[in-house]
Amino acid sequence: MSARRATHAGSWYTDSGSELSRQLDRWLGAADLSHGPARAIIAPHAGYTYCGACGAFAYRQVSPVVVKRIFILGPSHHVRLRGCALSVAKKYRTPLYDLKIDTQINAELEKTGQFSWMDMKTDEDEHSIEMHLPYIAKVMEDYKDQFTIVPILVGSLNPDQEAQYGSLLSTYFMDPTNLFVISSDFCHWGQRFSYTYYDRSCGPIHKSIEKLDKQGMDIIESLSPQAFTEYLRKYSNTICGRHPIGVMLGAVKALQDQGYDKMSFKFLKYAQSSQCQDMEDSSVSYASGSLVFEI
């Protein structure tokens, strides 16, 4: 059995199962169930000291009794990837318990000819998928043998590719037993990120960042892939999961084109790693939200 190790445990989050379980319980307990059951969520992938509490607001919307399969779409931080890639692993380890990969869905996706395979080193180096695994394990713990995961590494897609992958995955979106986790942080601000957009009319820098992020969040809530692409072109906001978000919006658009329009997305929490006051500062923003399909 090829298993992907929890390579970021012990640094980005605790490698103690009992401590991790307590932390996640505490964060989930502080979040409200207000926009569920989620068919898709957007949640951050930074170290848990920075974004663990924020991520809980997305995972609180998940209905574990319904979910049988979880697709995790994470951006590629280390390898250049023109399309999307699947995992060669059979299971993913977490400090809580191992998560089983859905090899049947992997085979279905491979048949489309649109997916490559990431090797184990790429998989273990990448944090954008791993940071969601403890939360998934936690919310699904009462059903731990009854669900599978489908990790998908998303490359630097152009808008047409986002639409194409969205359309391809839209049939899976329609199934209420599937959950899509869209892994993304929001603005990476500061000289170390080569991004220092500042609208001085907002007052302090962190308010300018918040306004910029919330503009993007409003556009995502409008579920318009075209408007999101235009927003990114205009401001170049450093939203690292913009391509996974684009794929989600592409799936929604494909379903709307088929006449299904009873979907609503809502952001439930916004946070920043620190509040930037001057041009030497830096911060990363986090946002958690949920996509609901009305019956």
Side-chain angles (χ1 to χ4, degrees):
M1 283 285 273
S2 55
R4 180 200 181 281
R5 296 168 301 163
T7 47
H8 294 74
S11 50
W12 291 53
Y13 57 98
T14 178
D15 54 6
S16 155
S18 56
E19 192 187 335
L20 185 58
S21 186
R22 278 198 304 276
Q23 272 179 351
L24 294 167
D25 273 333
R26 194 171 70 246
W27 288 325
L28 286 163
D32 293 329
L33 170 55
S34 57
H35 196 64
R39 190 72 54 93
I41 58 173
I42 293 176
H45 55 237
Y48 280 6
T49 49
Y50 297 107
C51 75
C54 180
F57 282 79
Y59 280 97
R60 187 69 182 82
Q61 316 312 314
V62 174
S63 173
V65 67
V66 177
V67 174
K68 298 278 181 278
R69 188 184 295 118
I70 301 174
F71 292 76
I72 312 159
L73 276 61
S76 177
H77 285 87
H78 306 296
V79 297
R80 280 183 109 54
L81 185 62
R82 295 208 173 282
C84 291
L86 306 167
S87 175
V88 294
K90 295 286 182 287
K91 58 185 177 184
Y92 272 14
R93 297 203 186 287
T94 82
L96 300 176
Y97 58 90
D98 294 349
L99 305 182
K100 204 166 117 248
I101 304 259
D102 198 316
T103 50
Q104 187 191 332
I105 296 294
N106 272 358
E108 281 177 26
L109 294 175
E110 186 188 24
K111 275 202 188 93
T112 66
Q114 302 300 317
F115 292 84
S116 58
W117 295 89
M118 54 175 149
D119 58 39
M120 192 62 93
K121 182 184 182 333
T122 299
D123 202 342
E124 290 189 335
D125 284 349
E126 182 54 64
H127 63 275
S128 73
I129 293 171
E130 179 182 339
M131 296 310 293
H132 290 279
L133 306 178
Y135 257 120
I136 289 168
K138 185 67 198 173
V139 296
M140 297 300 292
E141 67 186 348
D142 291 345
Y143 305 90
K144 62 173 73 160
D145 301 318
Q146 298 168 47
F147 76 99
T148 53
I149 61 169
V150 185
I152 300 176
L153 190 64
V154 179
S156 305
L157 310 181
N158 64 39
D160 289 343
Q161 286 178 298
E162 290 173 357
Q164 181 191 359
Y165 281 104
S167 176
L168 198 148
L169 292 170
S170 64
T171 49
Y172 300 105
F173 264 84
M174 275 308 282
D175 182 344
T177 65
N178 288 338
L179 169 71
F180 279 78
V181 172
I182 308 298
S183 177
S184 186
D185 296 338
F186 273 69
C187 186
H188 297 60
W189 196 93
Q191 282 156 12
R192 70 192 183 101
F193 300 118
S194 306
Y195 188 75
T196 51
Y197 171 86
Y198 180 20
D199 175 355
R200 288 170 191 280
S201 72
C202 296
I205 295 169
H206 66 87
K207 287 288 189 195
S208 167
I209 296 169
E210 180 173 351
K211 184 186 173 191
L212 179 69
D213 279 331
K214 294 215 162 152
Q215 228 175 312
M217 291 157 65
D218 288 348
I219 287 167
I220 294 165
E221 287 186 350
S222 80
L223 297 174
S224 165
Q226 197 183 344
F228 188 55
T229 299
E230 282 164 16
Y231 162 83
L232 291 170
R233 279 203 188 120
K234 184 174 178 185
Y235 296 105
S236 303
N237 192 1
T238 41
I239 299 172
C240 56
R242 56 192 172 278
H243 299 302
I245 293 169
V247 171
M248 179 193 81
L249 294 176
V252 167
K253 176 82 168 68
L255 295 175
Q256 287 170 338
D257 290 346
Q258 293 164 33
Y260 188 85
D261 62 355
K262 293 189 164 33
M263 296 166 276
S264 71
F265 193 97
K266 250 197 198 135
F267 278 101
L268 306 163
K269 188 69 176 171
Y270 175 77
Q272 295 174 350
S273 60
S274 61
Q275 294 201 327
C276 291
Q277 303 288 351
D278 65 56
M279 298 307 284
E280 303 307 306
D281 292 340
S282 68
S283 71
V284 180
S285 309
Y286 314 112
S288 288
S290 164
L291 178 72
V292 171
F293 280 42
E294 322 289 338
I295 305 302

